[in-house]
Amino acid sequence: MSIRKEKEYWTSRFYKENCIEYKVSGELALFADPITSAGGEKTTYSVPTYEALKGITKSIYWKPTFIWVIDSVRVMNPVMTESWGTRLININKRPGASKEADIANYTYLVNVLYQVKAHIEWNKNRPEYIKDRNYKKHYGEFAKALLKGGRLPVFLGKSECCAYVSVCEFGAGEGYYDHSGEISFGYMYHGITYPDEAYSEETKERLTLNLAPVIMKNGIIQFCRPSECMHQTIRTGTVKQFKEKEE
């Protein structure tokens, strides 16, 4: 199948089902909890977070016209971890301070493969882009970008964890946890709601931290929406304004 026909096929499929599907893989992944990793040591969650998958999807294709909503992720490979000793840059410049680099342990997931399903929702905080609300256009642009590996570099959590993305049918193939039953990971960091993605008066002009319980059933995690999470305001903020291009 030619690239043009392949793009047309996936555009039609995404538009018809009002969702996108892709797979992402990599040798390393680090989905750290930002609340506990500020001290230098970083330990990964066993499964990807909503925010990490949203970032991957936005790296493939994104416009301020819409918001990516992650519906579910399918864990294909067994969860395995590996710890590395890492030298951190010493930023302590006080007189008499030690010049030796600090040592920290980073715990990564290794050999990961995920199938992701997500969909577009129009960003009501961006009324200036109302004329750009065209599902077929954006699903088509996503399909085109996905077939080329994404518009921006793709990472599995941290910038040292390079990833590769490609098209797939969600649920296709055999996964390691297909018959594992229900596995609970407890409450996990879900993501951050930024001011330009506010969904209520409480989240307007604020950065909101979201936490949610994560349960995997036969390898598939169904994510709750940000509005359904436990949330806490981090600080106030404003909607970022984009400058129009001068002709």
Side-chain angles (χ1 to χ4, degrees), residues 124-193:
K124 296 180 180 179
N125 300 291
R126 296 286 188 179
E128 65 270 31
Y129 296 103
I130 193 169
K131 294 182 180 180
D132 192 38
R133 293 178 181 177
N134 184 322
Y135 282 111
K136 192 167 186 178
K137 168 192 170 182
H138 292 299
Y139 281 133
E141 289 297 319
F142 180 87
K144 180 180 177 181
L146 179 60
L147 290 169
K148 293 184 177 180
R151 288 191 169 184
L152 298 174
V154 179
F155 306 111
L156 284 159
K158 299 300 180 182
S159 59
E160 67 267 30
C161 303
C162 298
Y164 305 92
V165 293
S166 60
V167 293
C168 79
E169 294 184 17
F170 191 90
E174 184 178 349
Y176 185 81
Y177 295 99
D178 286 354
H179 308 289
S180 62
E182 185 175 298
I183 301 174
S184 175
F185 296 96
Y187 272 83
M188 286 176 48
Y189 165 73
H190 184 275
I192 292 177
T193 299

Side-chain angles (χ1 to χ4, degrees), residues 7-235:
K7 184 214 168 189
E8 291 176 353
Y9 168 79
W10 287 106
T11 299
S12 176
R13 180 186 175 93
F14 294 161
Y15 177 63
K16 182 179 179 180
E17 298 184 6
N18 189 28
C19 72
I20 56 94
E21 300 165 311
Y22 68 90
K23 62 182 178 181
V24 56
S25 61
E27 295 180 2
L28 296 174
L30 204 168
F31 306 112
D33 184 340
I35 301 173
T36 60
S37 62
E41 301 279 340
K42 291 181 175 62
T43 301
T44 184
Y45 281 123
S46 298
V47 292
T49 62
Y50 179 96
E51 189 73 16
L53 295 173
K54 185 176 177 181
I56 291 170
T57 311
K58 290 173 71 173
S59 292
I60 300 170
Y61 174 75
W62 175 80
K63 286 290 182 67
T65 309
F66 60 84
I67 298 170
W68 280 117
V69 177
I70 308 300
D71 298 312
S72 53
V73 62
R74 184 180 178 214
V75 182
M76 300 296 291
N77 291 348
V79 174
M80 298 184 293
T81 60
E82 191 173 280
S83 294
W84 291 13
T86 306
R87 286 184 176 272
L88 303 179
I89 298 175
N90 192 338
I91 59 174
N92 192 345
K93 297 182 179 180
R94 293 179 301 172
S98 173
K99 303 298 181 182
E100 294 184 5
D102 292 330
I103 304 297
N105 284 325
Y106 284 15
T107 302
Y108 297 91
L109 294 170
V110 295
N111 188 30
V112 300
L113 174 61
Y114 306 110
Q115 293 180 353
V116 183
K117 180 182 284 188
H119 71 275
I120 284 172
E121 291 186 2
W122 303 129
N123 191 345
K124 296 180 180 179
N125 300 291
R126 296 286 188 179
E128 65 270 31
Y129 296 103
I130 193 169
K131 294 182 180 180
D132 192 38
R133 293 178 181 177
N134 184 322
Y135 282 111
K136 192 167 186 178
K137 168 192 170 182
H138 292 299
Y139 281 133
E141 289 297 319
F142 180 87
K144 180 180 177 181
L146 179 60
L147 290 169
K148 293 184 177 180
R151 288 191 169 184
L152 298 174
V154 179
F155 306 111
L156 284 159
K158 299 300 180 182
S159 59
E160 67 267 30
C161 303
C162 298
Y164 305 92
V165 293
S166 60
V167 293
C168 79
E169 294 184 17
F170 191 90
E174 184 178 349
Y176 185 81
Y177 295 99
D178 286 354
H179 308 289
S180 62
E182 185 175 298
I183 301 174
S184 175
F185 296 96
Y187 272 83
M188 286 176 48
Y189 165 73
H190 184 275
I192 292 177
T193 299
Y194 293 91
D196 63 344
E197 297 181 349
Y199 51 81
S200 65
E201 289 296 325
E202 185 181 359
T203 55
K204 280 187 177 180
E205 298 186 352
R206 291 178 173 86
L207 269 74
T208 308
L209 174 70
N210 303 318
L211 301 173
V214 174
I215 298 174
M216 183 170 71
K217 296 181 180 179
N218 295 323
I220 297 176
I221 297 171
Q222 302 283 351
F223 289 105
C224 62
R225 299 175 61 86
S227 58
E228 299 170 342
C229 297
M230 290 178 57
H231 53 270
Q232 176 67 46
T233 298
I234 302 174
R235 62 178 174 84

